[in-house]
Amino acid sequence: MRRLALLALALSAACAGARRAPPAAEQVAFAPGEPAPGPAERDLAGKNEEELAALGAAASQAGDFERAAAAWARLADAWPASARAPEARLRAGLAYQRAGAWRLALERFRARAAGPGDAAGALEAEFGAAECRYHLGELDEAAAALAALAGRPGLEPAARVRALALRGVVERDAGREGEAERSLRLAVAGFEEASAAERLEPYFAAQAQYYLGELYRDRVAAIRLDPSTGDADALHGALERKSEALLSAQGEYLRAIRLGDARWAVAAGARVGELYDGLRRELLEAPLPPGLDAARAEAYRAELRGQVAVLASKAASAYEQTLDWARRAGVDDPALLDGAREALARLEQAAADGPAAPAR
């Protein structure tokens, strides 16, 4: 128990520191035998390509991605040789993507990448197709597509950083930890090298750096603490390894914050809070050592609560800073912030419940 307490204190001290040929003249008409159009397609019959383009643009701006996809897809299908067709294929893919219709989006992206049109649109379609494969669970195909992009001669540095960062994300989710770390570090290094000559947006470099933190967070989660075995040396070793992985994860997240992309900074800050909060909860909820009677068990838990209070303080501070960064940067995404708000409220309530609870 004393070793556990000392390691918790040592941990706190060490940490004080994802656009042409002439248009045809015919108008859109639903062919005989086609299924009845749904609400998004119902009034598209009879619209010409200019009207469909306007409908698609307006629906995208309004956030009606199903209708936008239907309009752009209809334009591309009815006027395949139109000057607007390449852009329509790409925009249909993007709209289906935003609607979560990954298979339909993939079909449109593949058609745009393989067909006529400007190189920038084709490249965006290739990235879109890789993302669709990722969401469809086709991780090997997604990783291979991104690897081909990253290795393409003449690719702009920003696109190469993007391909490497996304490849690392896919590899991590596929369980290929070593390959993921290599891809993510190459993305960050490529960003740093290119930034010496030109200004690059930090989004994908920050994503890569954040996911390096995720790799170490995975290692933190994989190390379990179980005092009930009665093996003090094994517990000591497990806590040391967990603490080292936590510090490494924190370092990667802090580097993601320093890259300057607001959304990834907020996500990384929240993760730092989760690291401390998670370790605190795991220590408190771990099984008791063997052989303790009721009185000794209560004394053990009381001492442990006092020792892990510093972890609660670290977690609360990270959550507060994250919410402050989000307010100042104008980031208001519930998916990023709700968990931090709830965890901070829980820690504040625990601190208010009494001196034995984790203190701020």
Side-chain angles (χ1 to χ4, degrees):
M1 181 170 68
R2 186 176 178 185
R3 278 182 174 174
L4 195 60
L6 289 173
L7 278 168
L9 287 173
L11 176 62
S12 71
C15 296
R19 300 185 207 226
R20 291 181 170 156
E26 70 271 24
Q27 291 184 324
V28 175
F30 292 102
E34 283 187 353
E41 301 91 352
R42 199 161 286 146
D43 64 346
L44 299 182
K47 302 292 185 188
N48 61 34
E49 59 174 305
E50 185 174 345
E51 292 168 327
L52 287 167
L55 282 170
S60 290
Q61 188 171 10
D64 187 350
F65 298 112
E66 290 184 8
R67 180 166 174 77
W72 290 114
R74 197 67 194 175
L75 193 165
D77 293 344
W79 286 279
S82 165
R84 290 189 175 94
E87 180 183 11
R89 294 184 187 104
L90 178 60
R91 287 182 175 267
L94 292 169
Y96 279 129
Q97 186 181 52
R98 294 292 298 275
W102 304 108
R103 187 64 66 187
L104 293 173
L106 176 60
E107 292 171 3
R108 297 295 170 173
F109 285 138
R110 292 178 67 184
R112 173 62 186 88
D118 61 279
L123 181 63
E124 192 61 36
E126 290 186 78
F127 276 114
E131 182 178 348
C132 290
R133 290 195 180 280
Y134 169 79
H135 286 284
L136 289 165
E138 300 171 2
L139 301 185
D140 290 342
E141 293 84 350
L146 291 163
L149 278 170
R152 181 172 297 174
L155 192 68
E156 291 293 325
R160 195 177 311 281
V161 170
R162 179 182 180 182
L164 286 165
L166 297 178
R167 180 185 178 186
V169 173
V170 174
E171 289 166 338
R172 180 241 180 185
D173 283 9
R176 290 147 54 182
E177 181 180 313
E179 294 173 54
E181 182 164 2
R182 178 178 179 276
S183 295
L184 295 169
R185 294 207 184 280
L186 284 172
V188 175
F191 172 81
E192 292 173 347
E193 180 180 354
S195 294
E198 60 179 305
R199 185 184 182 281
L200 298 183
E201 290 298 321
Y203 181 92
F204 289 105
Q207 182 182 29
Q209 191 67 67
Y210 171 89
Y211 272 92
L212 285 166
E214 294 289 271
L215 287 174
Y216 281 101
R217 189 174 72 93
D218 293 342
R219 296 172 195 176
V220 173
I223 301 168
R224 309 306 302 170
L225 303 176
D226 187 4
S228 69
T229 64
D231 189 336
D233 290 336
L235 180 61
H236 175 89
L239 187 54
E240 280 193 327
R241 292 192 305 275
K242 197 176 187 78
S243 301
E244 289 169 3
L246 186 151
L247 291 172
S248 295
Q250 178 184 247
E252 303 292 358
Y253 289 132
L254 292 177
R255 283 186 280 276
I257 292 168
R258 288 196 290 269
L259 281 167
D261 180 84
R263 288 181 59 82
W264 287 114
V266 168
R271 280 297 203 223
V272 172
E274 290 173 18
L275 286 170
Y276 287 112
D277 198 15
L279 179 57
R280 179 192 71 88
R281 294 171 72 178
E282 184 175 357
L283 288 168
L284 290 175
E285 296 168 6
L288 291 171
L292 298 183
D293 58 24
R296 291 173 66 197
E298 180 53 37
Y300 172 90
R301 291 200 181 280
E303 182 174 348
L304 187 58
R305 284 195 297 270
Q307 296 297 337
V308 301
V310 67
L311 299 176
S313 178
K314 294 288 183 184
S317 177
Y319 288 136
E320 287 172 341
Q321 289 180 26
T322 296
L323 294 170
D324 183 54
W325 292 334
R327 280 190 295 271
R328 288 189 281 113
V331 177
D332 188 19
D333 185 341
L336 291 177
L337 299 174
D338 282 356
R341 293 188 183 106
E342 292 168 8
L344 180 58
R346 174 171 43 76
L347 288 167
E348 289 174 338
Q349 184 60 53
D353 284 343
R360 290 281 306 282

